[in-house]
Amino acid sequence: MSLLKTMFEGGADDPAVQKAALLDYSSKAAPALTRAGEELEDLGAPTAEAQALHDELVKFFTESGDTLTKVSTDLAALDPADPEFATKLEQLGGDQADPSKLQEQIKKLQDDPQLGEAFTKAPQCVALQEKMASLGG
C-alpha cells in the first residue's frame, strides 16, 4: 500500500523516490510471497476439488518470491540518474514481477465457489479492500 501511495503522490515522477519505494516494497514482498507459498504448501488444499488451484497458487507464490528477491538485487544496482533508468526498470523481473499476475491469482480465489465468500468476510481482506478504495484502486 505504501508503494501505491508513494507513486500516487508524485513518486513515479522522481526516479530516486521510485527506486527507494520499489526497494522497500520488494524487500518486504519477496519474503512474504515465499512464506505464503510455504504456508499454503504446509496447509494443503482445503478440498480435493481445490487441489489444482492450490498447486497453482503454491507455485505462483514461491516463484514470485524468488523473482522479487532477484529484482531487489538488480534494482539496487540501478542508478536513478541514468537516462535509461525507466527502461532498465521496466525490464526487471519480466512477467513474474508483473503485479497484474498477483491480481489474476486473487481473482481465481475470489471466483472459486468454496473460497470466494472468505474474501468478503475475512477481516484482513475487508481491510485491504478498504485501503485500496481509499487510494482510488
Side-chain angles (χ1 to χ4, degrees), residues 3-4 25 60 94-106:
L3 173 62
L4 290 174
Y25 166 77
F60 172 79
D95 275 352
Q96 196 65 32
D98 180 353
S100 69
K101 302 298 181 192
L102 176 58
Q103 293 169 336
E104 289 172 16
Q105 295 299 323
I106 291 172

Side-chain angles (χ1 to χ4, degrees), residues 44-56 108 112-115:
T47 65
E49 296 83 17
Q51 186 66 50
L53 178 58
H54 173 267
D55 293 345
E56 179 182 338
K108 288 179 186 179
D112 184 273
Q114 295 177 328
L115 302 174

